[in-house]
Amino acid sequence: MSCDQTSYSDYDSQSHPDHLQASLPALYSQPSLPSVPSLTSKPHHRHQEILSTTHHHCLTTLAGHSSYVSSLTLAGKFLYSGSDNEIRLWMRNPLDSEIDQEDLSNNVVAVAKGAVKSLVVLAEKLFSAHQDHKIRVWRINNQETNQHKYTRLATLPTLGDRAFKSLLPKNQVQIRRHKTSTWVHHVDTVSALALSSDESHLYSVSWDRTLKIWRTSDFRCMESVANAHDDAINAVALSNDGSVYTGSADKKIKVWRKSSEENKHSLVDTLEKHKSGINALALSSDGSVLYSGACDRSIVVWEKGWRRRHGGFGRPEGPHRVHIVLGCGV
């Protein structure tokens, strides 16, 4: 959900019981570190040395979309881009390609209803999240020539999953007055997707305030966390240790973990520092540092670990603490 949009949701509540908080050590509020007033401020000497030897230049411009580009993902030597209602395929490094990028007028590999908000590649499958509340699965074929559109394998939730869930009244949830749906449905824009580290599950978040987990082997919806946030969810990131991070227009980042007892995801931490809606999340490769970007023009860097304040004195900090804040006006 963009920063200038008024956030709302028709999705009120689901029939599932509330997820219990995991019994973890208490978390304490931490004094914020000084904000970086400008990214053009004088850098530290070591950073200055790195910057002096780092150069970036434009290799090429990939043109072809007729509307704004809303999602990108890399897969091997290919780049996928999602726009209004189409997905295009590009060579990742145009200098290594014998194909002239400007002549790729036929590089549209998939067309569907609803703007493409997120893309994820798993082996020979491409998952796309859309503004029409759907997740679509495409079979990747004939990448080398870019001549054929991909075959749609499924639309999530699948017909079989919907039919099975509709048999029991307890699977019906009210999404607005006089209208119900099964809990496997997203009922607003699907804003982001992420794969588990073992690639067995796909996680999706939506402006309907839910977090859903899908099995990638048969596309079945395994779990739905109702009212995961107080407003639209815009981002999701997964750590190799099983932690799930969701960022929302309610200005909060929530951390979820699967409970071995209930085999469901429970809330274990809430990170609050941003002054406006959170749009993007990114994790370091080892999962120790989380980056969050928001409408307040800041990027907050969160560090995970158990440390004590003031050289070892004072109570322990929580699993996540603000490490630094980058940006203007924070």
Side-chain angles (χ1 to χ4, degrees):
M1 182 168 289
S2 62
C3 300
D4 57 352
Q5 286 180 296
T6 302
S7 60
Y8 64 92
S9 176
D10 292 324
Y11 195 76
D12 297 322
S13 62
Q14 293 187 348
S15 57
H16 296 289
D18 292 336
H19 294 268
L20 301 178
Q21 293 270 354
S23 55
L24 293 181
L27 305 179
Y28 303 97
S29 298
Q30 301 298 321
S32 61
L33 297 179
S35 300
V36 178
S38 173
L39 297 182
T40 60
S41 300
K42 185 177 180 180
H44 187 274
H45 176 70
R46 185 174 65 87
H47 291 169
Q48 192 173 30
E49 181 180 351
I50 295 174
L51 290 173
S52 65
T53 59
T54 302
H55 303 280
H56 294 83
H57 63 278
C58 179
L59 292 177
T60 188
T61 299
L62 307 179
H65 284 290
S66 58
S67 183
Y68 63 89
V69 177
S70 51
S71 54
L72 295 171
T73 194
L74 292 169
K77 59 183 179 180
F78 297 99
L79 168 70
Y80 289 92
S81 59
S83 184
D84 187 16
N85 64 347
E86 65 182 24
I87 302 170
R88 289 179 179 258
L89 178 68
W90 314 85
M91 297 300 296
R92 180 172 177 173
N93 188 346
L95 299 183
D96 294 339
S97 171
E98 297 179 357
I99 303 174
D100 186 353
Q101 298 282 12
E102 295 183 358
D103 292 337
L104 289 179
S105 57
N106 196 30
N107 68 337
V108 177
V109 294
V111 177
K113 294 180 180 179
V116 183
K117 308 300 288 185
S118 183
L119 294 166
V120 167
V121 174
L122 169 59
E124 299 303 313
K125 301 184 187 71
L126 171 66
F127 294 85
S128 57
H130 296 262
Q131 196 163 354
D132 66 354
H133 318 169
K134 300 292 194 301
I135 301 169
R136 292 177 172 86
V137 190
W138 311 87
R139 177 185 286 116
I140 297 175
N141 51 42
N142 207 4
Q143 288 185 342
E144 296 295 336
T145 61
N146 299 318
Q147 295 300 313
H148 300 287
K149 287 186 171 60
Y150 290 179
T151 304
R152 181 161 55 87
L153 293 175
T155 299
L156 309 186
T158 63
L159 179 59
D161 205 5
R162 285 179 287 162
F164 178 76
K165 297 296 190 302
S166 63
L167 295 177
L168 296 176
K170 69 177 183 179
N171 289 324
Q172 298 289 325
V173 294
Q174 186 171 356
I175 58 176
R176 63 174 67 94
R177 189 177 182 183
H178 305 309
K179 184 172 182 179
T180 61
S181 178
T182 60
W183 60 265
V184 298
H185 282 84
H186 277 304
V187 294
D188 207 333
T189 297
V190 184
S191 51
L193 302 172
L195 279 172
S196 60
S197 58
D198 62 1
E199 300 183 334
S200 63
H201 290 88
L202 177 76
Y203 288 70
S204 64
V205 293
S206 168
W207 292 355
D208 65 15
R209 300 181 282 133
T210 67
L211 163 68
K212 296 188 189 297
I213 299 93
W214 312 80
R215 195 161 57 193
T216 56
S217 60
D218 59 3
F219 312 134
R220 179 184 174 188
C221 188
M222 306 302 296
E223 183 185 351
S224 179
V225 181
N227 300 311
H229 282 267
D230 298 325
D231 208 332
I233 309 176
N234 297 320
V236 60
L238 305 184
S239 178
N240 289 336
D241 66 0
S243 298
V244 181
Y245 299 84
T246 54
S248 168
D250 65 7
K251 311 175 189 178
K252 299 174 185 177
I253 300 168
K254 292 190 176 182
V255 189
W256 310 84
R257 286 188 66 89
K258 188 175 237 184
S259 168
S260 56
E261 294 79 11
E262 297 184 1
N263 200 31
K264 293 183 178 180
H265 286 78
S266 301
L267 180 66
V268 298
D269 200 1
T270 300
L271 313 181
E272 297 184 66
K273 175 64 180 176
H274 285 289
K275 300 177 181 178
S276 61
I278 296 160
N279 298 317
L281 298 173
L283 273 169
S284 62
S285 57
D286 62 0
S288 63
V289 180
L290 173 72
Y291 302 83
S292 57
C295 293
D296 57 15
R297 298 176 294 155
S298 71
I299 300 170
V300 176
V301 186
W302 308 85
E303 186 178 35
K304 184 177 183 180
W306 293 90
R307 299 183 182 177
R308 292 180 178 270
R309 303 182 202 167
H310 309 303
F313 297 97
R315 57 193 179 184
E317 301 181 29
H320 301 84
R321 70 184 183 95
V322 176
H323 183 62
I324 194 170
V325 182
L326 306 175
C328 303
V330 293

